[in-house]
Amino acid sequence: MASVIAASPTASSTLADRIDLLAQVTVHSGLGLRAGQELLITAPIDALPLVRRVTEHAYKAGASLVTTMYVDDEATLARYRFAEDASFDHAATWLHDGIATAYRSGAARLGITGADPSLLGQQDPVKVSRANVAASKASRPALELITRHEINWCIVASATPAWARVVFPGEPEEIAVQKLWDAILASSRLDNPDPVAAWKQHSANLQQRAALLNEKRYAALRYTGPGTDLEIGLADGHLWMGGGTVALNGIPCLPNIPTEEVFTTPHRERASGTVRSTKPLSYQGTLIEEITVRFEGGRIVEARARTGQEVLERMLATDEGAGRLGEVALVPHSSPISASGLLFSNTLFDENAACHIAMGQAYSTCVQDGDTLSPEELAARGANESLIHVDWMIGSGTLDIDGVTASGEREPVMRAGEWA
Amino acid sequence: MASVIAASPTASSTLADRIDLLAQVTVHSGLGLRAGQELLITAPIDALPLVRRVTEHAYKAGASLVTTMYVDDEATLARYRFAEDASFDHAATWLHDGIATAYRSGAARLGITGADPSLLGQQDPVKVSRANVAASKASRPALELITRHEINWCIVASATPAWARVVFPGEPEEIAVQKLWDAILASSRLDNPDPVAAWKQHSANLQQRAALLNEKRYAALRYTGPGTDLEIGLADGHLWMGGGTVALNGIPCLPNIPTEEVFTTPHRERASGTVRSTKPLSYQGTLIEEITVRFEGGRIVEARARTGQEVLERMLATDEGAGRLGEVALVPHSSPISASGLLFSNTLFDENAACHIAMGQAYSTCVQDGDTLSPEELAARGANESLIHVDWMIGSGTLDIDGVTASGEREPVMRAGEWA
């Protein structure tokens, strides 16, 4: 696969060269795009330079057609500033249904992330939540095809001025964007002499770690750290995953670039205890900081946050499953993203800097034979269902995690944030 | 209606103010957007400033949601440079079907034109034609809703650097863009103290001209000028239209800004003689200059062009109806766009500078009760059917047009390019 990469980065590589290299890694390692496949991209309008390079390499790889749907933060803001109240229960169902049709017809999917994390921070949280619920409902058929891994898909990041301002608030815009690109490209292993080979190796390491955990068949994980004393039961027949996956269309892909996590499906009724967040959560444009929640019988019964409390409460009230767990993920504290010391305010990066849990929808692929089970069968295994899937970070250099066997014995899994 | 306009232009208006005014005229006079309507925009990515202003005014007018699909010329070019041959018979059917669904659900439609007219001039005309046929087939269900005026829709223009370079080839980019904006805004009656009132008056004038021609019930039009001696039979029960229209959803709209034409449906089997183009035709990125064609029994039997001959021939060979007429339109030679002396290389402007005819698909709205007739009934009246609808200019200051009555008498309609 390395032969598809035209050039490796050198000390003198320009930013344009390195963005081109990210595009190549995205098309080949991330999407595994096949000749004749259509490609559907969503991207912030400021990600235009990366989109153009991806488009070029997708056509070189034989894409039948590349269609990009750009999102303009200014247009989103105009809605909150000027639209009538009824607008916030409306979504472009026709577009989401069209996208689902594209997936069913064999299209691959690339999401480019890079929007302003603080975009909606000043807007009415009730409207933000309503608009999100409407969009979640409309996009559900398309999203299910993604979460079930029916098609090959990938998410990568592009630095944008608005995002860079949040990550490097003191810097002039040009410097901030350059620094954010550096951080994205380093985290995405682009500074390796052969990034495709590096991703192959790293993906194999994560798959091996998942295989070890699958052999253990732990009934639960026990988290202990400052402010945290939590036991999370795992779903019956849960599967640990990490690194690349083979989509149900038979195409190997790497759904997240970067990725550092191994993850599985917890049991929706088996979490109890208290847990404290270790990084802020950027949700719908609001920063939610210093979250502490208490679980009983799998459900959050108490939730506090230093900032964003109202947004947190609305998120947890989205539907019945929003206050229950859909994912549990392990990331060593020494991961390159964590080592950067940056708060990206973007889940793709921050979730790969620390152990995390997610509220809401579970991945059926993290349950044995999950893609053949009915929603009722999945629920019986403990897999949660919700319109939301929101990751938040609970890992740190002071977190210990034990695996709890079916007979109740405890074994060390992580100590002081590292694999035990 | 004038009260919705926040400010009139003054001598000191900035370009940004005038673009904002164009956005207001587009939303109110052009689309007649109703509260609760969704709005779907397509635009070149360089039209971002106009899109943002339209989005704001659409939300202020009560739009439930504004969705913009941006087209990037660079992505289009990448396809021609790098895609495999099979790509050119492929189209995003899922997207066009989704758009048709949006129209059927009550969305309004805004097209912003401004792409590089010479974009595909250097590309393989066979591939250009194949891609166009594939896109035409895929978009047909959506396009039919537009041509039947099922919904309120409008096309306006935004200056873009690529387009400005073609219109003002000698000028530095910044000056060229400024000049193109000036030309667009002047043609769009934006320099009038009350542009909404000006459009109301102008639209009424065009409607009155159409009413006069409808009273005449001419059987044919006879064109005489340098290189032109042509008789075009009109469809049985043809209707002349011009200016604003009331869409079948009951909403009055002005489908083209600017517009100077009155137009109707010719009979697909009743054109004979020779006609010469008076302006170049920009088709799929190729300039076709100095076209001369000969009609027999409504069909082009001979076609020549000084440049773009191959593209012209392919266009006429698209399908059975591509070599027959779908529209005939009358524009006085003194129209403001003609008076500007500019060749815009963009149909929205050039077709409003001169009398023109269109090859291909007819508008069913230009036939009495056309929206209630079956395709067979429309064909029996003489309305043409095709995947294409391509306008080209045949008017000039030396063109005479007579109306031919059912009994064969001739009356002057235009003399030396002006209304007789």
Side-chain angles (χ1 to χ4, degrees):
Chain A
M1 196 92 130
S3 63
V4 298
I5 300 294
S8 289
T10 65
S12 64
S13 287
T14 65
L15 180 57
D17 290 341
R18 294 164 77 212
I19 291 174
D20 188 77
L21 198 57
L22 176 60
Q24 295 182 56
V25 168
T26 298
V27 168
H28 298 289
S29 303
L31 293 166
L33 195 73
R34 289 285 167 85
Q37 264 201 307
E38 224 184 294
L39 175 60
L40 213 146
I41 305 175
T42 50
I45 213 153
D46 286 324
L48 186 67
L50 176 59
V51 172
R52 285 180 172 173
R53 296 280 67 75
V54 168
T55 302
E56 174 179 329
H57 291 293
Y59 280 126
K60 284 179 175 171
S64 61
L65 193 62
V66 181
T67 303
T68 302
M69 275 157 295
Y70 287 97
V71 176
D72 177 23
D73 280 352
E74 287 295 319
T76 306
L77 271 186
R79 185 182 185 194
Y80 284 92
R81 286 186 186 137
F82 305 116
E84 289 182 9
D85 187 72
S87 164
F88 298 94
D89 299 318
H90 194 87
T93 308
W94 58 270
L95 182 56
H96 294 292
D97 286 350
I99 291 171
T101 302
Y103 295 165
R104 285 189 212 102
S105 310
R109 163 84 165 91
L110 175 64
I112 298 181
T113 180
D116 181 353
S118 62
L119 183 70
L120 301 180
Q122 304 305 310
Q123 305 307 318
D124 176 359
V126 179
K127 286 183 178 172
V128 173
S129 170
R130 284 166 57 202
N132 201 54
V133 168
S136 294
K137 284 182 181 166
S139 64
R140 189 161 182 117
L143 198 62
E144 278 182 354
L145 298 168
I146 296 292
T147 56
R148 285 207 307 264
H149 287 278
E150 297 264 354
I151 60 164
N152 46 328
W153 60 274
C154 179
I155 302 178
V156 299
S158 170
T160 63
W163 182 18
R165 273 194 298 274
V166 172
V167 183
F168 302 100
E171 302 282 3
E173 181 175 297
E174 201 182 329
I175 304 292
V177 170
Q178 174 75 48
K179 283 189 166 186
L180 183 54
W181 265 126
D182 285 343
I184 290 170
L185 294 166
S187 312
S188 304
R189 295 167 197 263
L190 260 291
D191 294 334
N192 194 289
D194 184 345
V196 169
W199 273 109
K200 200 172 179 178
Q201 181 60 52
H202 178 56
S203 175
N205 292 348
L206 291 169
Q207 286 167 338
Q208 192 181 9
R209 180 70 63 182
L212 277 171
L213 286 164
N214 281 326
E215 278 171 27
K216 292 289 189 181
R217 307 250 40 90
Y218 290 129
L221 296 179
R222 179 95 198 185
Y223 294 73
T224 322
T228 291
D229 185 6
L230 174 71
E231 184 160 309
I232 300 178
L234 301 181
D236 301 329
H238 67 271
L239 268 186
W240 288 92
M241 296 185 72
T245 188
V246 178
L248 296 177
N249 64 5
I251 301 176
C253 67
L254 198 55
N256 287 184
I257 291 179
T259 181
E260 302 288 340
E261 59 176 344
V262 293
F263 56 101
T264 193
T265 294
H267 196 291
R268 63 191 302 278
E269 292 173 350
R270 294 186 194 153
S272 61
T274 301
V275 59
R276 181 187 290 178
S277 68
T278 52
K279 284 172 180 277
L281 164 62
S282 171
Y283 181 69
Q284 295 178 349
T286 299
L287 270 192
I288 311 177
E289 296 172 285
E290 296 180 24
I291 304 169
T292 303
V293 303
R294 189 162 62 81
F295 285 90
E296 273 183 25
R299 200 167 63 80
I300 290 181
V301 292
E302 207 182 320
R304 278 173 293 123
R306 189 174 62 78
T307 69
Q309 169 95 26
E310 189 184 346
V311 174
L312 174 66
E313 284 172 8
R314 288 198 179 274
M315 177 188 98
L316 296 174
T318 306
D319 54 23
E320 211 284 315
R324 296 178 182 274
L325 292 173
E327 182 191 344
V328 48
L330 304 179
V331 179
H333 185 62
S334 60
S335 90
I337 299 171
S338 177
S340 78
L342 293 173
L343 175 66
F344 286 83
S345 296
N346 180 304
T347 299
L348 180 62
F349 291 83
D350 293 331
E351 77 164 4
N352 282 303
C355 289
H356 57 275
I357 52 182
M359 310 310 304
Q361 181 68 33
Y363 292 115
S364 63
T365 43
C366 288
V367 174
Q368 285 168 344
D369 306 318
D371 51 298
T372 66
L373 299 180
S374 68
E376 295 71 26
E377 289 169 323
L378 280 167
R381 299 276 188 93
N384 194 33
E385 206 175 336
S386 172
L387 285 173
I388 68 165
H389 177 99
V390 181
D391 298 276
W392 55 290
M393 273 43 82
I394 62 171
S396 71
T398 55
L399 183 70
D400 292 339
I401 304 177
D402 285 348
V404 184
T405 65
S407 57
E409 284 161 54
R410 289 169 63 159
E411 301 175 0
V413 172
M414 297 190 102
R415 282 294 174 268
E418 301 301 327
W419 293 113
Chain B
M1 194 92 128
S3 63
V4 298
I5 299 294
S8 289
T10 65
S12 64
S13 287
T14 64
L15 180 58
D17 290 340
R18 294 164 77 213
I19 291 174
D20 188 77
L21 198 57
L22 176 60
Q24 295 182 56
V25 168
T26 298
V27 169
H28 298 290
S29 303
L31 293 166
L33 196 74
R34 289 284 168 84
Q37 264 200 307
E38 223 185 293
L39 175 60
L40 213 146
I41 305 175
T42 50
I45 212 153
D46 285 324
L48 186 67
L50 176 59
V51 172
R52 284 181 172 172
R53 296 281 68 74
V54 168
T55 302
E56 174 179 329
H57 291 293
Y59 279 126
K60 285 179 175 171
S64 61
L65 193 62
V66 181
T67 303
T68 301
M69 275 156 295
Y70 287 97
V71 176
D72 177 24
D73 280 353
E74 287 294 319
T76 306
L77 271 185
R79 185 182 184 195
Y80 285 91
R81 286 185 187 138
F82 304 117
E84 289 182 9
D85 187 70
S87 164
F88 297 94
D89 299 317
H90 194 88
T93 308
W94 58 270
L95 182 56
H96 294 292
D97 286 350
I99 290 171
T101 302
Y103 296 166
R104 284 189 213 102
S105 311
R109 162 84 167 91
L110 176 64
I112 298 181
T113 179
D116 181 353
S118 62
L119 183 70
L120 301 180
Q122 304 305 310
Q123 305 306 319
D124 176 0
V126 179
K127 286 183 179 172
V128 173
S129 169
R130 282 166 58 201
N132 201 55
V133 168
S136 294
K137 283 181 182 166
S139 64
R140 187 159 187 121
L143 198 61
E144 279 182 354
L145 298 169
I146 296 291
T147 56
R148 287 207 307 263
H149 287 277
E150 297 265 353
I151 59 163
N152 46 329
W153 60 274
C154 179
I155 302 177
V156 298
S158 169
T160 62
W163 182 18
R165 273 195 299 273
V166 172
V167 184
F168 301 100
E171 303 281 5
E173 181 174 297
E174 202 183 327
I175 303 292
V177 170
Q178 174 74 50
K179 283 189 167 185
L180 182 54
W181 265 126
D182 286 343
I184 290 170
L185 295 166
S187 312
S188 304
R189 296 169 195 262
L190 260 292
D191 294 334
N192 194 291
D194 184 346
V196 168
W199 272 109
K200 201 171 178 179
Q201 181 59 53
H202 179 56
S203 176
N205 292 347
L206 291 170
Q207 286 167 339
Q208 192 182 9
R209 180 70 62 183
L212 276 171
L213 285 164
N214 281 326
E215 279 171 27
K216 292 290 189 181
R217 307 250 39 88
Y218 291 129
L221 296 179
R222 178 95 198 183
Y223 293 73
T224 323
T228 291
D229 185 8
L230 174 71
E231 184 160 307
I232 301 178
L234 301 181
D236 302 328
H238 67 270
L239 269 185
W240 288 93
M241 295 186 71
T245 188
V246 179
L248 296 177
N249 65 4
I251 302 176
C253 68
L254 198 55
N256 286 183
I257 291 179
T259 183
E260 302 287 341
E261 58 176 345
V262 293
F263 56 100
T264 193
T265 294
H267 196 291
R268 64 192 301 278
E269 291 173 351
R270 295 184 194 155
S272 62
T274 302
V275 60
R276 180 188 289 179
S277 68
T278 51
K279 284 172 179 278
L281 164 63
S282 171
Y283 181 69
Q284 294 178 352
T286 298
L287 270 192
I288 311 178
E289 296 173 285
E290 296 180 25
I291 305 170
T292 302
V293 303
R294 189 162 63 80
F295 284 91
E296 272 182 26
R299 200 167 63 81
I300 290 180
V301 292
E302 207 182 320
R304 277 173 295 124
R306 189 174 64 78
T307 69
Q309 168 95 26
E310 190 184 346
V311 175
L312 175 66
E313 284 172 8
R314 287 197 179 276
M315 176 188 98
L316 295 175
T318 306
D319 52 23
E320 211 284 315
R324 296 178 182 273
L325 293 174
E327 182 191 344
V328 49
L330 304 180
V331 179
H333 185 63
S334 61
S335 89
I337 300 170
S338 177
S340 78
L342 292 173
L343 175 66
F344 287 83
S345 296
N346 180 304
T347 298
L348 180 62
F349 291 83
D350 292 331
E351 76 163 5
N352 283 303
C355 288
H356 57 275
I357 50 182
M359 311 310 304
Q361 181 67 34
Y363 291 116
S364 62
T365 44
C366 288
V367 174
Q368 285 167 345
D369 305 318
D371 51 299
T372 66
L373 299 180
S374 69
E376 294 72 27
E377 289 168 322
L378 280 168
R381 299 277 187 93
N384 194 33
E385 207 175 335
S386 172
L387 285 173
I388 68 165
H389 177 100
V390 181
D391 297 277
W392 55 291
M393 274 42 84
I394 62 170
S396 70
T398 54
L399 182 71
D400 293 340
I401 305 177
D402 286 348
V404 184
T405 65
S407 56
E409 285 161 54
R410 288 169 65 157
E411 300 175 1
V413 171
M414 298 190 102
R415 282 292 174 267
E418 300 301 327
W419 293 113

